[in-house]
Amino acid sequence: MGAVMGTFSSLQTKQRRPSKDIAWWYYQYQRDKIEDELEMTMVCHRPEGLEQLEAQTNFTKRELQVLYRGFKNECPSGVVNEETFKQIYAQFFPHGDASMYAHYLFHTFDTTQTGSVKFEDFVTALSILLRGTVHEKLRWTFNLYDINKDGYINKEEMMDIVKAIYDMMGKYTYPVLKEDTPRQHVDVFFQKMDKNKDGIVTLDEFLESCQEDDNIMRSLQLFQNVM
């Protein structure tokens, strides 16, 4: 490669020969083509066109390129499975146990329930959580709490998510939490959300409760901070 570049550089100081220039550019084209083919043999999944993702998300094309580069560094195959997702997530919370929260988060990212998360899945969720409207963020959060995906949240599901968040934050939370703190929080929030007292929270109840109660909204910020 150095020899080729040296030859090309020397051509700039001499009378230009079109045939030489064409040969160099053809070499560049072939080299890039070979690199792309090698990459294709290593990557199992390539994302949709960046233009399409740009239209579907709140990210610019440049931001998508940066995000994809980072995603591919962590997941060279182009997809991430749950075990790898847990390992990556655990690095950000070394003082706690992030495994259960990562489990719930992974299955919310995995919208097609295939057992793997593609770049498109990841960046679509990230777009909502970082730059979506309040309504979009709340709908996504509802889906996280709806563990069994039946369209409702029961108290056990809410407790599972809240406990997973506290476990992930670990013993270094301040002030130090009592063991029954997650249960107390869930009891209060669920009572407020379950407006018709039927033991389940619908999406409409969730949206209405969150948007009319500042305490609930502030508590939900904890989720976005650990995202």
Side-chain angles (χ1 to χ4, degrees), residues 6-7 9 41 54-55 63 67 69 72 77 82 88 96 99 131 134 141 167 197 199 208 224-225:
T7 301
S9 178
T41 65
E54 185 179 8
E63 288 172 329
L67 286 168
R69 191 175 301 120
K72 227 175 73 166
S77 66
E82 182 174 343
I88 294 171
S99 59
R131 298 180 180 174
V134 171
T141 305
D167 288 344
K197 308 305 177 188
E208 182 181 349
Q224 293 178 26
N225 290 338

Side-chain angles (χ1 to χ4, degrees), residues 8-130:
F8 179 72
S9 178
S10 66
L11 287 172
Q12 308 302 309
T13 61
K14 298 180 181 179
Q15 184 176 0
R16 184 174 295 276
R17 298 180 183 178
S19 61
K20 291 289 185 179
D21 286 351
I22 292 171
W24 185 83
W25 285 114
Y26 180 75
Y27 168 83
Q28 290 288 87
Y29 167 77
Q30 291 296 333
R31 188 199 64 172
D32 292 343
K33 183 179 178 183
I34 290 171
E35 288 179 352
D36 287 344
E37 289 173 350
L38 287 174
E39 184 179 357
M40 281 292 290
T41 65
M42 297 173 61
V43 178
C44 299
H45 175 79
R46 295 176 71 89
E48 302 168 357
L50 292 184
E51 292 80 5
Q52 183 176 345
L53 284 176
E54 185 179 8
Q56 294 172 347
T57 67
N58 297 312
F59 294 120
T60 66
K61 186 175 181 180
R62 175 58 182 162
E63 288 172 329
L64 288 167
Q65 290 172 333
V66 173
L67 286 168
Y68 180 57
R69 191 175 301 120
F71 186 88
K72 227 175 73 166
N73 284 339
E74 293 289 347
C75 313
S77 66
V79 297
V80 57
N81 60 29
E82 182 174 343
E83 194 57 37
T84 301
F85 187 84
K86 287 180 178 180
Q87 292 171 7
I88 294 171
Y89 214 75
Q91 297 174 25
F92 298 99
F93 300 93
H95 302 303
D97 181 1
S99 59
M100 280 309 298
Y101 185 75
H103 166 76
Y104 297 132
L105 195 61
F106 178 86
H107 284 279
T108 308
F109 278 135
D110 182 15
T111 55
T112 56
Q113 302 301 302
T114 61
S116 61
V117 171
K118 300 179 294 185
F119 177 70
E120 295 93 319
D121 303 323
F122 170 75
V123 80
T124 299
L126 200 62
S127 173
I128 292 173
L129 293 169
L130 294 181

